[in-house]
Amino acid sequence: MRLKSPAEPVGVLFVCLGNICRSPMAEALFQTMVRERDLEAYLFCDSAGTGDYHIGSLPHPGTLEALRTAGITTTHRARQLSTNDFTLFQYILVMDRENLRDTLAVANGPAVVKLVMEYSAQHADCDVPDPYFDGRFNTVFEMVSDACRGFLNEFERNLVPTEFANR
Ligand code: 4NP
């Protein structure tokens, strides 16, 4: 089925603390799912950190390994969340409540800021644990995959089939 494009592609920004573990994993997973669902004309994504500790760094080896096991690669370099992001992206999906508080503290635009796990069917309304401290990269992979699927299922449900779009 052909789907009518939104007037503008919708931007999704994933945010964690350091932008080397959770959010670049979510970004790479989401981008892969967007490609698999043939939604590249409708969605773009990026990731950022609330902190500035790792600006310019590649993702953590644990993130790269979890992605590699699923056949996914990324060239993302860590960057810090910027005030521009609140107008460039419609959705800012954060990994935990600390990120939520820190992101809302600098929010200055119309972006919807939410916990990413609100989109998960299995783990709704919880924090994604930080694997930088506990090494649970595979757990993060499973949780974030489920949330990305949930977001994309909802996004696709809200797209209007072309044959009905102009009636
Ligand atoms: P992330 O994990 O927020 O998922 O990228 C972290 C990475 C680095 C640090 C903390 C969390 N750090 O304290 O340097």
Side-chain angles (χ1 to χ4, degrees):
M1 174 170 49
R2 298 290 309 155
L3 298 172
K4 180 176 161 35
S5 173
E8 300 268 329
V10 171
V12 180
L13 181 70
F14 296 95
V15 169
C16 60
L17 173 59
N19 192 213
I20 56 169
C21 298
R22 293 165 293 176
S23 63
M25 192 190 296
E27 177 200 343
L29 266 168
F30 187 80
Q31 185 57 52
T32 300
M33 291 181 186
V34 165
R35 205 178 303 120
E36 285 169 356
R37 293 179 186 223
D38 203 15
L39 292 172
E40 284 162 298
Y42 310 120
L43 286 160
F44 63 95
C45 65
D46 193 9
S47 65
T50 56
D52 61 1
Y53 322 109
H54 297 284
I55 291 172
S57 297
L58 283 167
H60 190 287
T63 286
L64 293 175
E65 177 61 16
L67 289 171
R68 194 193 59 75
T69 303
I72 301 171
T73 56
T74 176
T75 57
H76 181 78
R77 296 278 178 173
R79 72 169 179 89
Q80 191 171 22
L81 180 66
S82 144
T83 50
N84 294 335
D85 290 325
F86 295 89
T87 42
L88 287 173
F89 296 90
Q90 278 91 334
Y91 292 93
I92 298 187
L93 303 183
V94 306
M95 298 294 143
D96 63 35
R97 287 173 176 82
E98 187 181 314
N99 308 150
L100 183 63
R101 188 194 61 216
D102 294 344
T103 299
L104 290 173
V106 296
N108 71 338
V112 172
V113 181
K114 280 178 137 181
L115 286 170
V116 70
M117 294 311 291
E118 284 192 38
Y119 290 98
S120 165
Q122 293 165 27
H123 312 269
D125 201 23
C126 66
D127 291 347
V128 179
D130 196 336
Y132 187 75
F133 298 110
D134 68 13
R136 294 164 63 201
F137 287 91
N138 291 334
T139 300
V140 171
F141 187 92
E142 293 305 324
M143 292 179 76
V144 167
S145 298
D146 194 54
C148 288
R149 265 193 302 276
F151 180 94
L152 289 172
N153 289 345
E154 186 173 316
F155 184 82
E156 284 187 319
R157 274 197 300 275
N158 289 325
L159 285 174
V160 183
T162 319
E163 59 264 40
F164 302 122
N166 295 317
R167 294 191 185 166

